[in-house]
Structure formats: structure tokens, C-alpha cells
Amino acid sequence: DEEISNFQILHFGDVQYLAVITEQVVYIIDPSKRRPTTVANLPVFGCICCEPVDDKNVAVANIESVSVYDIKSGEVVQSWKYEAEKLKVIGDYIFALGIDGSIRVFQQGVESSLSTIKVQGSEIIDFISIDSNIIISWLNVNEPNFETVTYAQVSSTNVIVFNETEKKPQKEPKSEPEPELSQEKKPKKKVSKTKQEELSNSLTEAFEGGAPSKKILKILASENWTEHR
């Protein structure tokens, strides 16, 4: 009689389980057998999403925290107070996109978050892992913007902020006039709004369709994005 609020396919190595999420419990089910069997009942109230950490543990986000559960015992291994709406486990790190539009990075065995990734004046809307980098996206006046975060930054920087207002240092006056440049600057290429929308759509389709990382990076490197991207 329980109402299902969400379900997910969970990849534990080569094994695939189905997570059926209700208001009070997360059921992890093995659908591969003739009669589907329940692998675990996790007593999680208000679960929003979950993600495998390894073949024995699963990360779960609910309305109050991000927690790691042992599948066999159903017990909490570790928990962090943070309201997340999306989880991704990348390597040893648990990336949690919060309702505040920032990303907290957690690691099992570490009491507090390793790093916080945020955008000044905006909210992160999604992120993906490509090779050894994390690409985050946010909206700036309804246009998508992208930045790259490396694993090294995550492990060594407490707070990573993008879109900060940069203060340019004032130049000291020079006694002699600067020589004129021999080459004129090339005029910036004007790109139509339609062309930019087509590029944004192609990037969205590449993300959603699981396109190869080379194709996504090629789209991100296009000269047709507006200058502030």
C-alpha cells in the first residue's frame, strides 16, 4: 500500500539493482532473478535519491542529510547534515548538489565536507564527470555557463567560487609612450542568438545522451559561445 515517490537503476559494478523509493523506506531489489528479490530495506524517511558508493554501500540523500548505508545491515555508516537534491559518486568522492545551488564534496571517513563549489550570484543546475574533471553548469541571464573543476582542486581547496567580480589592478603610469602594435586586433566574431541556442541544445543532448567526452569538450570549446562563457 506504500506510494512510490521515485525509482532508480543502481550499478554496483557489473550488477544492476533497482531502488524503489517510498516515503519511509528505500527498497533495493535484484530484478535479474526469476522472482525479483529484495536485497535491502533501508529505513530512510523522505529519500530524494541514492547512488552506489561501492559493492557494499550506498549513498542516500533525504530531506535532512546525505548518508552512507551498509546494504547488508541497513545501518548508517556515516552521515553529513546537508540538504541535497542530486548525488553522484565519482572515485572516492560523493558530490551532492544542494537545494541552495552549491555542491558539497564528501568522502567516507572524513567528518566534514572536503570542499564546497558555488557560483556567485547564481545556482549550479547540473554537473558531470569527464576524464579527470568535473564540469559544472549554471544559468546567467537564462544562458548556460560552464566551468571545469579538477580532482586536485576538490581535494586541496575548501571553497571554490566561480563568477566572482574580478578587480583589475591599476597600471602604473609609464614615462614613455608604448609603441603601437604592428598588427590590428581582429574583430570579434558575431554569433546569432539562433546559433547560440542550437549550440546550447546540442550540448544538452550530448549530456543527456551520454555522448563521448571528446564530443562534449569539442562543443564546450566552440567559438560560438558568447564571450562571458
Side-chain angles (χ1 to χ4, degrees):
D1 295 335
E2 294 176 283
E3 183 178 344
I4 296 174
S5 59
N6 192 13
F7 68 90
Q8 293 178 243
I9 304 288
L10 304 180
H11 299 271
F12 290 87
D14 296 330
V15 180
Q16 291 185 357
Y17 290 152
L18 177 66
V20 178
I21 300 172
T22 67
E23 184 180 7
Q24 301 283 347
V25 181
V26 176
Y27 299 95
I28 298 181
I29 298 170
D30 183 356
S32 65
K33 298 181 180 180
R34 187 173 182 180
R35 295 188 65 180
T37 58
T38 301
V39 176
N41 293 344
L42 305 180
V44 183
F45 176 77
C47 176
I48 297 168
C49 59
C50 51
E51 188 79 9
V53 175
D54 49 39
D55 58 354
K56 297 179 181 179
N57 301 293
V58 61
V60 177
N62 72 350
I63 57 177
E64 294 183 344
S65 61
V66 174
S67 304
V68 175
Y69 281 81
D70 182 287
I71 296 175
K72 284 188 176 180
S73 67
E75 296 180 354
V76 176
V77 176
Q78 189 166 0
S79 187
W80 301 272
K81 199 79 172 176
Y82 187 61
E83 294 183 66
E85 58 185 12
K86 182 175 184 178
L87 295 177
K88 283 188 181 178
V89 176
I90 305 170
D92 295 331
Y93 304 132
I94 301 171
F95 288 77
L97 176 58
I99 60 173
D100 60 352
S102 67
I103 294 174
R104 293 278 184 92
V105 185
F106 303 101
Q107 186 175 26
Q108 205 170 334
V110 180
E111 186 175 348
S112 58
S113 62
L114 290 177
S115 183
T116 299
I117 306 168
K118 58 186 179 179
V119 177
Q120 183 173 301
S122 187
E123 297 182 358
I124 298 171
I125 56 176
D126 205 355
F127 63 99
I128 62 168
S129 172
I130 296 181
D131 298 328
S132 297
N133 300 310
I134 306 298
I135 296 178
I136 66 168
S137 64
W138 75 91
L139 293 179
N140 186 359
V141 195
N142 294 325
E143 294 183 348
N145 286 249
F146 308 94
E147 284 289 354
T148 301
V149 182
T150 65
Y151 292 160
Q153 285 176 292
V154 168
S155 61
S156 62
T157 311
N158 290 331
V159 181
I160 301 169
V161 184
F162 291 107
N163 207 33
E164 285 188 291
T165 303
E166 296 182 358
K167 293 183 180 180
K168 296 182 179 179
Q170 294 182 348
K171 294 182 178 179
E172 294 290 334
K174 294 185 177 181
S175 56
E176 296 181 3
E178 295 182 11
E180 295 183 0
L181 297 174
S182 59
Q183 296 181 351
E184 294 183 0
K185 291 183 179 179
K186 293 182 180 180
K188 293 180 180 178
K189 181 181 177 181
K190 293 184 178 180
V191 183
S192 68
K193 187 175 180 180
T194 302
K195 191 71 176 176
Q196 292 176 34
E197 289 178 353
E198 289 177 357
L199 194 61
S200 296
N201 291 335
S202 65
L203 183 60
T204 301
E205 291 173 1
F207 281 150
E208 294 177 348
S213 59
K214 288 184 179 179
K215 181 178 179 180
I216 295 175
L217 291 174
K218 184 177 180 181
I219 297 173
L220 290 173
S222 172
E223 295 179 354
N224 291 338
W225 294 110
T226 52
E227 183 182 0
H228 67 269
R229 297 173 194 277

